[in-house]
Amino acid sequence: MFEKPGRPLTIAIDGPAASGKGTLARQIAAAYGLRHLDTGLTYRAVAKALIDAGAALEDVAAAERAAAVVDLGSLDRAVLSNHVIGEAASRIAVMPGVRRALVEAQRRFAQSGEGAVLDGRDIGTVVLRDAAVKLYVTASPQARAARRHAEIAAAGGPETLADVLADIERRDARDMGRADSPLKPAPDAHLLDTSELDIQAAFRAACGLIEQASSDRERM
Ligand code: C5P
């Protein structure tokens, strides 16, 4: 659908839970023929390993051991997507040793091919500080909760809208308030507020920013 630029293209997409960044990242990767890594799945895989082993989520040594052996090739979204694992992931994501190991694996992924799209919380600020394009995708907590609740309800989940909103606000507070790599826009990130945008409009806006950045790079 789009011309592939001459040089490897790395695209960093950050934002809070249920902002739409994951869908956007997948669509962008498909449109530009780039590989995609949802880095949230790497934190979720560590959390699931601890839960499966019956270890406490405060067990830093166990979490670091699990992070050291996460296999990026076998991250299964269907298995890792449930909300108990998401909540647990945000608890182990405050541990600097866990972050160091996962960031290293994520950088190896980004640098091992012809460019990639990574989405997460610290891609533009830490993992790929020199990404060609940085997007910070956000939406109001109410808009994000409504979207997430509709997905959960469609799958037959029992949580109320109020439960989902409380969950999102708790996760935002933890992700934005942690000392190591808190969620925030990189100074050179383009902000994309999807509260009032549907996914097609957000995708078109993102493509405009990427085309612009690619042509700027071509001229450099
Ligand atoms: O994006 P997702 O909801 O799958 O991420 C789960 C948790 O993993 C987040 O709430 C966050 O605490 C952590 N995470 C992170 N850095 C990333 C990606 C995810 O700290 N790059």
Side-chain angles (χ1 to χ4, degrees), residues 9 12 19-20 42 44 61 75 83-84 94 96-98 102-103 114 128 141 143 149 166 175 193 196:
L9 182 63
S19 58
T42 64
R44 287 170 181 263
L75 299 169
H83 109 118
V84 174
V94 304
V98 167
L102 295 182
V103 166
E114 292 205 6
L128 302 177
H149 181 251
D175 289 347
D193 187 326
E196 309 283 334

Side-chain angles (χ1 to χ4, degrees), residues 89-105:
S90 83
R91 291 173 58 188
I92 58 91
V94 304
M95 300 172 182
V98 167
R99 302 201 70 85
R100 261 196 307 281
L102 295 182
V103 166
E104 199 180 298

Side-chain angles (χ1 to χ4, degrees), residues 3 5-7 9 32 132-133 207-220:
E3 283 291 307
R7 282 190 282 157
L9 182 63
Y32 288 86
V133 186
C207 289
L209 294 167
I210 294 165
E211 298 295 318
Q212 180 62 50
S214 301
S215 64
D216 290 350
R217 266 156 43 95
E218 228 93 298
R219 280 200 302 274
M220 278 161 57

Side-chain angles (χ1 to χ4, degrees), residues 10-26:
T10 48
I11 301 180
I13 305 184
D14 290 301
S19 58
K21 67 182 186 314
T23 307
L24 202 56
R26 277 193 292 282

